[in-house]
Amino acid sequence: MSDANDTMPKDATEHTRAANRAARDMLPLGDRRDYDDAARGFVGAPADPLIRRADGTPVLDLTSHDFVDASEEAPDTVHPSLWRHAQVNNHHGLFEVAEGVYQLRGIDLANITIVEGETGIIVIDPLSFAETARAALALYREHRGDRPVTGLVYTHSHVDHFSGSRAILEDAHGGDFPVIAPEGFLYEAAAENVYAGTAMTRRALYMYGPLLAPGPRGQVDAGLANTLGAGGSATLVPPTDLIRETGESRTVDGVEMTFQMAPGTEAPAEFLIHFPALRLLCVAEDANHLMHNLYTLRGAQVRDAATWWKTLNQTIGLFGGETDVLVGQHGWPRWGTADIREYLANQRDLYKFIHDETLRLANRGLTMTEIAEELRLPPGLDREWYSHGYYGSLSHNAKAVYQRYLGWYDSHPAHLNQLPPAEAGPRYVEYMGGADAVVEKARAAYDAGDYRWVAEVLTHVVFADPANRAAALLQADAFEQLGYQCENPTWRNEYLMGALELRNGVRNLGDIQLATPDVFAAMSPEMILDFAGIKLDAGRTGDEPFALGWTVTDAERGPAAFLLEVRNGVLVYTRDASLDGTVARVSSSKAALAAALFGGRPLDDLVGLGEARVEGDRAAVDRLFGMLDDFPLWFPIVQP
């Protein structure tokens, strides 16, 4: 029988305290450079630290992590290196980087960089939500005056770098300005945040830990910043000007920018920006004050470490001698040409080392798990704070390199067609003498500090019998101690979220929607139909194929007629095909197509308002809608 204390976070065990003390003794914690650089140029912070939606719902509390400044020495429940990183990250406000260049930092997961032009401002990366972008711009204007927006730049296709864009458009004082992005930006932004958006959002809750209470026993940091907002408005203003080749330049409001293409590095669509007159380089997210992800725990395409290091090597050649100030779209700047070159060279070497050493060991026959266990950074990289795994890690980055070249299968036949956890769990438990015997042995292992083994072996009991409270609580305790020992905040958040849900169950806190009408409006009809194909449940389609016609009246190149065929469990679409033989035809705008397909508004309402028109067998259209699946956000992760 469990009591209320079973649902609460525990203290660090002596094994965890000893592990964190040993780590502290190995770290140069007297080095204060990052603290000084992160605070340099501070202008001011928002008077109201609580950023809210229009209805008053909180999106982000800028004071939520002030606890990290309460003690210079890390508490027993936090790795001392992570505590230091969280302190450096705990800066919020407007910072002057160079004359006419400002950053808004700590107001979201990412930074806004503002470059002042002849008449207004160029905004680089408008954050995750319209609310945080709006608050950032208001803070800038409070200190620098009401300058109009004269340009908007997206450095890459991740949601925290574009999703506040509607606030920038609204704030432009009615002026017309270019929206500049790398080639492929729109597709990649939609593909990552819509096609797999539900699964990625659920997993991101584990990675970033926004449901964990901030504090020494909870969420301490998110790696790229202390935390990220939640529940804000996701938007997407489409780009009007695409950069396709390295060396292309644009002059906006008297400010010259030269671009270096970086596709396939930290994002599928990305570029770096050099400002020749300012001798300033914006490295987007290709160089950071941490080891970045080659594979991100929220789920995404594996990134190419070889392309990444070669891009940074090219950056040094292109701009290394022409740069006095470096800004990233996370973290804090660096100053001084020689220092910047060394920093870029070490970041380059970091990704090359992970790439080359992983493949060297793979070619010696080691599996991804064995490589991850063996890999260690060379001393020259390990002594730099910005090589530490505060976001990526040597362990899961090595696995990413292995996966990119060799895939998930390690060539051991026993791993080729393994049973799913809910089927394997009961068999393991039976072989090990039953659930009580497994829990008893796991408790002894826990007392010995063998938390990794406890976490692994109890997974079988939990999946064999989700009602076994003793197994779930003991696994939660093991996850928690593993989290307390993590230098990497995203690993810590993963472990502590697992512990939270084992103890308290999955709490449905409502919908979190990345695929908003604003995002659908920026997508092409083909991308909307791709998502419809993803949502099609093959089990509902039956054996008889049928075809519909759907004309999108406001497609990019004029009205477009799409033949939609449901056959063999898939939805196939063909643009500008003959619609002869279709049992029904629908005509609508692109927005109405998305609203009808994805449940935003019933088709009857759209027809009644004249936004859609249906000819032929209306039942066939309803049949298609009935085949589309719903994606529940709050699916279980640590239990079946």
Side-chain angles (χ1 to χ4, degrees):
M1 200 59 189
S2 60
D3 58 34
N5 290 331
D6 289 336
T7 65
M8 302 300 293
K10 308 287 180 59
D11 202 354
T13 65
E14 179 52 40
H15 297 289
T16 292
R17 291 195 291 269
N20 285 342
R21 283 195 302 268
R24 180 195 62 202
D25 293 344
M26 298 292 291
L27 293 166
L29 293 173
D31 177 8
R32 304 292 296 181
R33 174 181 171 165
D34 285 345
Y35 289 88
D36 296 339
D37 283 354
R40 179 172 169 174
F42 177 70
V43 176
D48 184 356
L50 190 59
I51 299 172
R52 303 174 177 86
R53 288 193 332 218
D55 63 5
T57 303
V59 174
L60 184 64
D61 181 358
L62 302 184
T63 66
S64 64
H65 286 68
D66 286 354
F67 67 89
V68 300
D69 293 326
S71 170
E72 185 166 327
E73 186 167 332
D76 292 335
T77 53
V78 184
H79 191 288
S81 177
L82 171 56
W83 189 252
R84 171 203 164 276
H85 186 69
Q87 289 178 327
V88 178
N89 265 342
N90 195 36
H91 291 83
H92 313 283
L94 178 68
F95 297 81
E96 184 178 22
V97 175
E99 185 177 356
V101 181
Y102 292 82
Q103 282 195 312
L104 287 306
R105 301 204 295 270
I107 301 178
D108 205 321
L109 190 67
N111 303 332
I112 285 182
T113 300
I114 290 178
V115 180
E116 295 177 348
E118 294 175 353
T119 63
I121 58 173
I122 300 164
V123 176
I124 302 174
D125 288 358
L127 306 183
S128 305
F129 302 113
E131 291 81 3
T132 51
R134 201 171 287 122
L137 270 185
L139 178 61
Y140 168 82
R141 296 195 190 289
E142 177 186 336
H143 293 277
R144 296 297 296 164
D146 195 18
R147 302 164 186 247
V149 176
T150 50
L152 175 61
V153 180
Y154 304 130
T155 62
H156 63 288
S157 52
H158 289 153
V159 67
D160 51 322
H161 298 265
F162 68 77
S163 200
S165 53
R166 186 64 55 186
I168 309 301
L169 186 66
E170 293 167 354
D171 197 79
H173 304 342
D176 187 22
F177 59 85
V179 181
I180 302 172
E183 183 179 28
F185 167 85
L186 195 57
Y187 173 81
E188 298 297 347
E192 180 161 297
N193 295 293
V194 176
Y195 295 166
T198 300
M200 189 179 297
T201 300
R202 176 71 170 110
R203 291 166 56 128
L205 296 173
Y206 266 57
M207 177 177 173
Y208 295 111
L211 305 186
L212 299 169
R217 295 187 185 186
Q219 204 270 358
V220 169
D221 198 69
L224 298 173
N226 284 145
T227 189
L228 72 165
S233 305
T235 65
L236 176 55
V237 175
T240 61
D241 184 6
L242 296 178
I243 306 299
R244 293 180 168 83
E245 295 182 4
T246 293
E248 285 192 55
S249 293
R250 298 290 188 274
T251 298
V252 176
D253 196 15
V255 176
E256 183 183 0
M257 296 175 279
T258 301
F259 298 91
Q260 179 195 359
M261 301 304 294
T265 55
E266 187 271 338
E270 189 154 4
F271 57 39
L272 286 65
I273 315 165
H274 189 250
F275 298 82
L278 301 172
R279 291 182 61 86
L280 181 138
L281 175 64
C282 174
V283 291
E285 210 169 324
D286 270 12
N288 300 271
H289 285 280
L290 45 73
M291 181 193 300
H292 212 294
N293 288 308
L294 297 177
Y295 167 77
T296 177
L297 302 181
R298 64 183 165 82
Q301 297 176 43
V302 168
R303 297 154 187 178
D304 186 358
T307 296
W308 201 326
W309 82 255
K310 290 174 184 177
T311 296
L312 288 176
N313 197 47
Q314 184 186 50
T315 304
I316 296 168
L318 289 171
F319 309 123
E322 311 298 325
T323 299
D324 298 329
V325 184
L326 179 147
V327 296
Q329 293 309 110
H330 293 282
W332 51 95
R334 297 187 79 88
W335 292 267
T337 305
D339 177 78
I340 289 168
R341 286 180 64 94
E342 177 69 7
Y343 167 67
L344 290 173
N346 283 337
Q347 287 270 289
R348 172 200 64 195
D349 296 351
L350 176 64
Y351 300 112
K352 192 173 196 305
F353 171 81
I354 299 170
H355 176 271
D356 292 358
E357 191 68 3
T358 297
L359 290 180
R360 183 185 72 82
L361 294 173
N363 281 309
R364 292 182 62 85
L366 276 70
T367 66
M368 68 167 69
T369 304
E370 293 165 338
I371 294 168
E373 198 72 10
E374 181 167 320
L375 214 56
R376 298 290 183 275
L377 285 180
L381 291 176
D382 192 45
R383 65 171 167 258
E384 301 291 350
W385 291 111
Y386 54 68
S387 298
H388 283 228
Y390 298 123
Y391 200 49
S393 72
L394 265 183
S395 176
H396 73 260
N397 280 346
K399 292 174 181 176
V401 174
Y402 188 100
Q403 178 186 330
R404 185 173 184 89
Y405 284 89
L406 296 169
W408 58 269
Y409 179 47
D410 62 5
S411 207
H412 192 301
H415 301 151
L416 184 59
N417 191 26
Q418 290 179 279
L419 291 169
E423 291 187 34
R427 292 168 169 82
Y428 274 109
V429 172
E430 180 186 359
Y431 270 57
M432 290 186 285
D436 291 344
V438 178
V439 172
E440 182 180 353
K441 293 173 183 175
R443 198 173 301 282
Y446 179 89
D447 291 340
D450 196 1
Y451 305 127
R452 289 172 69 186
W453 174 243
V454 176
E456 180 174 338
V457 74
L458 286 179
T459 296
H460 299 305
V461 183
V462 171
F463 273 76
D465 179 12
N468 191 317
R469 188 70 173 156
L473 292 175
L474 185 55
Q475 187 177 46
D477 290 347
F479 281 164
E480 189 167 65
Q481 297 304 317
L482 289 168
Y484 289 166
Q485 295 180 31
C486 281
E487 179 182 42
N488 186 307
T490 64
W491 281 42
R492 175 188 173 94
N493 294 336
E494 292 275 342
Y495 282 127
L496 297 189
M497 275 298 301
L500 177 71
E501 292 194 350
L502 282 167
R503 289 168 176 161
N504 298 281
V506 178
R507 296 172 58 208
N508 187 330
L509 299 178
D511 196 21
I512 301 173
Q513 189 60 260
L514 294 180
T516 63
D518 205 61
V519 173
F520 283 129
M523 295 167 62
S524 68
E526 288 87 347
M527 295 168 74
I528 292 172
L529 293 172
D530 281 337
F531 189 47
I534 292 167
K535 296 197 72 168
L536 189 79
D537 183 347
R540 302 182 197 171
T541 60
D543 294 331
E544 290 297 320
F546 69 98
L548 308 175
W550 200 301
T551 298
V552 180
T553 57
D554 58 348
E556 289 77 2
R557 302 187 301 274
F562 289 89
L563 173 65
L564 309 184
E565 299 176 89
V566 177
R567 45 181 290 123
N568 295 322
V570 298
L571 173 64
V572 176
Y573 64 84
T574 307
R575 182 171 180 148
D576 298 331
S578 170
L579 301 186
D580 293 343
T582 56
V583 295
R585 299 181 188 182
V586 186
S587 177
S588 77
S589 67
K590 185 173 62 172
L593 167 67
L597 284 173
F598 308 131
R601 296 165 67 190
L603 184 59
D604 283 343
D605 290 357
L606 296 169
V607 170
L609 293 170
E611 296 180 32
R613 184 163 51 89
V614 181
E615 299 176 357
D617 185 0
R618 167 60 190 273
V621 182
D622 292 335
R623 181 183 170 197
L624 171 63
F625 292 162
M627 296 173 181
L628 300 182
D629 202 358
D630 291 323
F631 295 157
L633 175 63
W634 300 99
F635 55 78
I637 292 177
V638 290
Q639 292 180 304

